[in-house]
Amino acid sequence: MIINIGLNDLKYRYDVYQMFNIYFPLDELKFPEAADFDYIVNIENDEIIFKNSTLEIKETVGDNIKDSIKKAIFKGLKEITNDVYPWGTLVGIRPSKIALKLLNEGKSEEEIIKYFYDKHMASEEKAKLCIDVAKLEEKFVKKNNEKIAIYIGMAFCPTRCLYCSFASNPIGGNKKLVAPYLNALSHEIEKIKEYVDKKNLEIETVYFGGGTPTAVSNEEFEDMMNKVYNSFVRDREILEFTVECGRPDSITREKLETMKKYKVSRISINPQTMNDETLKLIGRNHSVEDVKEKFNMARELGFNDINMDMIIGLPGEGLEEAYNTVREIKKLKPDSLTVHGLSLKRGSRLYENFILKKGLGIKDQEEIAKMYDESKKLSKELGLKAYYMYRQKNMVGNMENLGYAKEGKECIYNMQMIEDTQTIIALGADAVSKVVFLDENRIERFPNVKDVREYVNRIDEMIKGKIKLLDTLYK
């Protein structure tokens, strides 16, 4: 469906778009010069007027005109649709960062809750969530330029999930690229190890993600784990070594034994849903029974810090399916749980299916909210507390991604990454290094290319560019 929006000052087009996108994430939003407008937004000197054929809202312009525009539209669309979006006008991806900053400024919880409502119309519940997460993060997020994190990305997966927009190439059709990629990644690991050692940097955490690190063969995985361990883990007092196994169909006993051998402290086994029909629909070639089998195998081998992911709002899933996923995950008792809201990313096949074919439905806002409530109940029953949070654009229900963990099982890498308080040197295709200049409150990023062939061909160029950026901090 096309929604025509009349806007008298197009320099605020992006702000207007953001608000309409909360309520109409699957529709095409247009700003024509002249049309039979569905909605009109007029921006005057002292007020914002939002209207359609049945409603008119006026908002007095406050200190920030963009905030006033967003409030006028948000209030109007809320009244028209009767949908409740508890984050209000807030579209930032790191809301807990706002709470952490305000806490550090000495603000009380009441003042922070008021700030979230006055500025963003966010609910008290969401403001309190941000405060709780920020307080927990405060214990872990240390500010020290000499301490860094290492991220290694595997560019392959068993298959490509319907909702995915990452650099995750289905390994079956890209077997010829695996060896060149692993060789290039090994070269990058060697050069970054040399740099870390030369600058005497302290590695706090190592995170091997992707893609799916375990998508390659047992032998290839053993070889890569050996390189990662000997470069970044051995003889260092790191706090955490995570491997995001992710897909149960890529996990073998041999790979789990390899991870044990190389001192991996934390793994992820991520079903996303515990409904077989949905797993087939989203392109995951494993069953619910496979999830249980691999999880129990990991427990049997002594892994005592296992994360599981679930996604709220997958196509065809409603409250009953969420109930089932919650029930099955509860039986397994993971040490941490990450709850994601489905993000309709432009680069994913899922988005194309939603927008172009309309063949897959999504549930209404009320049901989405109830599904989130079930995940909260699950975390409470498992004895897990919220410890990190982030949001994405185009999330179904405009909610949040939330990490829960048992005390002592929080993922330090996740917290440092979300709060932008630590330099992360990232290796692999589509991996983005982040250099944090704490004294200047400034961040510089260096992205590796996404395409695997380009990554292989330009590896030396990327290593050189990354080190050049790092040298601006570590002189």
Side-chain angles (χ1 to χ4, degrees):
M1 177 178 166
I2 295 173
I3 294 177
N4 289 316
I5 303 164
L7 178 61
N8 67 332
D9 192 339
L10 288 175
K11 74 180 177 186
Y12 297 109
R13 173 177 171 167
Y14 182 64
D15 305 287
V16 173
Y17 176 90
Q18 285 180 318
M19 292 303 99
F20 276 90
N21 194 51
I22 290 172
Y23 284 87
F24 307 111
L26 302 181
D27 295 305
E28 188 176 354
L29 306 175
K30 290 193 170 183
F31 295 85
E33 287 185 15
D36 186 9
F37 296 119
D38 299 291
Y39 300 93
I40 293 173
V41 180
N42 280 331
I43 300 165
E44 310 295 345
N45 290 329
D46 58 352
E47 70 177 4
I48 313 299
I49 301 168
F50 167 87
K51 59 184 178 181
N52 74 344
S53 59
T54 62
L55 176 78
E56 180 172 297
I57 294 280
K58 293 183 179 181
E59 180 77 18
T60 302
V61 174
D63 295 336
N64 187 310
I65 189 169
K66 290 184 177 182
D67 287 345
S68 302
I69 293 167
K70 290 176 181 179
K71 284 179 184 176
I73 298 168
F74 188 84
K75 287 176 182 177
L77 292 177
K78 181 179 179 181
E79 190 164 331
I80 290 164
T81 64
N82 290 318
D83 284 338
V84 176
Y85 290 97
W87 282 107
T89 65
L90 184 63
V91 293
I93 64 171
R94 293 174 171 88
S96 58
K97 196 173 180 180
I98 299 170
L100 187 57
K101 178 177 180 290
L102 294 172
L103 284 170
N104 288 334
E105 290 173 2
K107 296 287 193 293
S108 68
E109 290 193 19
E110 291 74 21
E111 288 173 315
I112 295 171
I113 291 167
K114 185 175 186 301
Y115 175 90
F116 270 85
Y117 183 77
D118 290 348
K119 186 170 178 63
H120 302 293
M121 297 184 68
S123 72
E124 181 177 344
E125 178 199 3
K126 295 304 180 189
K128 283 183 174 177
L129 175 62
C130 288
I131 292 167
D132 290 344
V133 170
K135 282 183 173 179
L136 204 154
E137 284 179 332
E138 216 171 8
K139 301 174 187 175
F140 295 92
V141 175
K142 308 297 181 186
K143 297 190 175 182
N144 183 334
N145 269 334
E146 305 308 313
K147 293 185 178 181
I148 65 165
I150 297 287
Y151 175 86
I152 302 109
M154 178 63 73
F156 303 99
C157 272
T159 58
R160 187 173 178 83
C161 295
L162 194 64
Y163 51 78
C164 183
S165 64
F166 291 113
S168 52
N169 305 277
I171 199 162
N174 292 279
K175 286 187 176 176
K176 291 181 180 178
L177 294 176
V178 175
Y181 179 78
L182 296 181
N183 288 335
L185 181 57
S186 296
H187 178 56
E188 191 176 15
I189 287 171
E190 288 167 14
K191 291 301 179 185
I192 294 305
K193 178 195 183 299
E194 288 174 11
Y195 185 84
V196 168
D197 290 345
K198 177 184 171 186
K199 298 293 183 178
N200 292 314
L201 302 178
E202 183 182 339
I203 299 173
E204 202 171 53
T205 63
V206 176
Y207 194 103
F208 193 1
T212 305
T214 46
V216 295
S217 70
N218 289 340
E219 295 74 22
E220 289 164 332
F221 183 69
E222 159 82 31
D223 185 50
M224 186 52 59
M225 287 296 295
N226 180 286
K227 287 185 173 68
V228 172
Y229 175 78
N230 285 299
S231 299
F232 302 129
V233 180
R234 195 183 74 176
D235 300 328
R236 304 179 196 267
E237 293 182 6
I238 72 164
L239 299 177
E240 177 182 274
F241 183 12
T242 297
V243 176
E244 193 173 353
C245 312
R247 295 278 293 267
D249 45 338
S250 72
I251 299 171
T252 62
R253 179 174 286 273
E254 290 82 0
K255 287 171 186 169
L256 288 169
E257 288 171 345
T258 293
M259 285 183 268
K260 267 296 180 188
K261 176 181 174 182
Y262 292 115
K263 307 294 189 289
V264 171
S265 57
R266 180 179 179 275
I267 64 172
S268 293
I269 299 174
N270 300 332
Q272 314 302 3
T273 175
M274 294 294 261
N275 296 285
D276 281 328
E277 191 175 326
T278 310
L279 288 170
K280 289 177 187 174
L281 179 63
I282 62 178
R284 291 171 78 92
N285 289 345
H286 66 83
S287 67
V288 171
E289 284 305 311
D290 293 331
V291 176
K292 296 176 185 177
E293 179 195 345
K294 298 304 166 62
F295 187 95
N296 290 327
M297 185 187 293
R299 282 289 198 231
E300 176 197 326
L301 289 170
F303 286 94
N304 62 3
D305 194 348
I306 306 177
N307 177 77
M308 299 189 87
D309 282 8
M310 66 178 287
I311 297 178
I312 302 290
L314 285 168
E317 291 212 341
L319 199 50
E320 281 306 312
E321 288 76 18
Y323 282 146
N324 188 60
T325 294
V326 163
R327 276 194 301 268
E328 294 300 328
I329 289 178
K330 185 180 174 183
K331 292 175 190 174
L332 294 173
K333 299 180 181 176
D335 306 285
S336 58
L337 174 72
T338 309
V339 180
H340 299 271
L342 179 66
S343 179
L344 298 175
K345 296 179 181 178
R346 298 270 176 180
S348 69
R349 291 182 293 133
L350 179 59
Y351 184 89
E352 296 302 314
N353 277 326
F354 267 124
I355 297 302
L356 300 179
K357 297 179 182 176
K358 295 284 187 179
L360 304 170
I362 68 170
K363 300 302 178 182
D364 62 30
Q365 180 62 17
E366 185 178 353
E367 187 161 2
I368 292 287
K370 287 178 180 176
M371 291 160 76
Y372 267 94
D373 285 342
E374 288 307 308
S375 70
K376 290 175 194 171
K377 289 176 190 174
L378 170 62
S379 68
K380 191 172 182 180
E381 289 167 356
L382 290 172
L384 313 179
K385 288 185 178 180
Y387 77 97
Y388 95 109
M389 169 173 53
Y390 68 101
R391 302 182 69 225
Q392 293 168 277
K393 293 179 181 177
N394 303 319
M395 287 179 70
V396 169
N398 194 42
M399 298 296 268
E400 70 277 344
N401 300 320
L402 197 55
Y404 300 91
K406 289 179 183 174
E407 187 174 351
K409 300 296 174 72
E410 301 88 354
C411 180
I412 297 167
Y413 172 85
N414 282 340
M415 289 185 279
Q416 294 281 23
M417 181 264 298
I418 287 297
E419 293 304 327
D420 288 334
T421 51
Q422 187 174 77
T423 291
I424 297 171
I425 305 178
L427 298 76
D430 203 30
V432 181
S433 294
K434 182 166 60 178
V435 180
V436 179
F437 298 81
L438 291 170
D439 295 340
E440 304 171 41
N441 194 26
R442 178 170 67 89
I443 296 169
E444 295 283 344
R445 291 177 171 81
F446 186 90
N448 281 356
V449 295
K450 186 172 184 175
D451 182 81
V452 171
R453 292 178 182 84
E454 281 290 290
Y455 173 77
V456 171
N457 293 334
R458 295 169 58 190
I459 186 62
D460 286 318
E461 171 195 332
M462 284 177 288
I463 293 168
K464 185 177 178 181
K466 190 175 302 172
I467 288 175
K468 184 178 178 182
L469 172 57
L470 288 164
D471 275 342
T472 63
L473 177 61
Y474 303 112
K475 297 174 182 175

